[in-house]
Amino acid sequence: MHQPARWGLGAVAAGVTVIVGLDVTSLGEIDPLRRTISQHGLGPEGWIFGLGVALLAAGSAAICVSLARRRLAGIVGTLTLALWSAGLFVAAWFPKQDWSLAPTWSGGFHRAGSFVAFLSLPIAAVVIARSWRRAERRGAALTAFAFGLGSVLWVAGMGAMALYGAHSGLPWWRVMPLGLVERVLAVTEVAALIALGVWAAAHTPALARSQGGDEVAKELAKRLT
């Protein structure tokens, strides 16, 4: 198993566990249907939320390195996956805007980082895993492609709803249950990320396969002679 991918999967699992734990323990205080995940960053456990997102970002970066080193990602895939990681780091460092107060630079940076992250991961998953038809680990690559495509469609649906709200004179965050929509998108994108990590961890480079095949052939020839 490729070490960076293994570390990345571990960090992603830890980050997801932290964030899900915050969601579960805050059910009585934060409405998951209307409040976004970033709402946790405004409470007393804000540093815990930041830690969870930072772990997710670090794990994503490690998976990106693994995919790039194994020549599975390509330039576009590597760039978009790196943008996902960078966007998460920005969202972790800068707290969400508290709309009961005046707009802040921190809230603007958080919103920009979140936007870049949520938009970049679906593109990365589709671009990187598009070669699933000829991939050795077809299951993991196909899973990443499917979740990536689902994320693209989900983002497109959110955009369509926002346009509908603008046309109807409604605030875009009131057109849909924003908290629920964001959580479904987050689950879909993280699933695509994990599938990419599993693919990177299990992938056997062509050179190694060739060398392994040569050794088997030599051993077989020795036994036949």
Side-chain angles (χ1 to χ4, degrees):
M1 180 177 284
H2 204 225
Q3 194 76 345
R6 184 173 64 181
W7 290 341
L9 287 170
V12 167
V16 169
T17 300
V18 170
I19 296 171
V20 171
L22 283 174
D23 242 10
V24 171
T25 56
S26 302
L27 281 177
E29 304 171 6
I30 297 178
D31 182 4
L33 298 181
R34 290 293 176 183
R35 296 292 185 177
T36 62
I37 304 173
S38 299
Q39 189 71 23
H40 295 296
L42 297 178
E45 298 86 10
W47 68 273
I48 301 178
F49 172 75
L51 175 62
V53 178
L55 285 170
L56 180 58
S60 302
I63 291 173
C64 181
V65 169
S66 181
L67 288 166
R69 288 177 59 182
R70 296 198 160 204
R71 299 182 180 179
L72 296 173
I75 296 177
V76 175
T78 301
L79 177 61
T80 49
L81 192 54
L83 285 174
W84 153 265
S85 302
L88 288 178
F89 274 121
V90 171
W93 185 261
F94 296 99
K96 172 186 173 162
Q97 172 67 46
D98 185 348
W99 295 110
S100 64
L101 304 175
T104 62
W105 282 101
S106 176
F109 282 125
H110 177 89
R111 186 164 55 250
S114 300
F115 179 80
V116 169
F118 278 118
L119 191 62
S120 298
L121 194 278
I123 299 174
V126 170
V127 169
I128 294 172
R130 71 188 186 280
S131 59
W132 63 268
R133 291 177 180 271
R134 59 178 184 274
E136 296 78 9
R137 293 286 175 171
R138 181 171 297 181
L142 176 58
T143 300
F145 183 85
F147 278 115
L149 183 59
S151 299
V152 171
L153 296 176
W154 197 255
V155 170
M158 292 174 64
M161 290 299 293
L163 289 176
Y164 170 78
H167 180 73
S168 304
L170 297 173
W172 64 271
W173 61 87
R174 294 190 179 276
V175 179
M176 52 189 147
L178 186 58
L180 177 62
V181 169
E182 186 197 51
R183 281 168 173 80
V184 173
L185 177 60
V187 169
T188 307
E189 294 195 351
V190 171
L193 174 68
I194 292 174
L196 288 175
V198 171
W199 185 30
H203 176 72
T204 303
L207 178 59
R209 294 196 307 272
S210 176
Q211 291 175 344
D214 291 343
E215 292 176 359
V216 171
K218 290 178 181 179
E219 183 64 26
L220 181 60
K222 287 180 180 179
R223 295 187 179 185
L224 292 176
T225 56

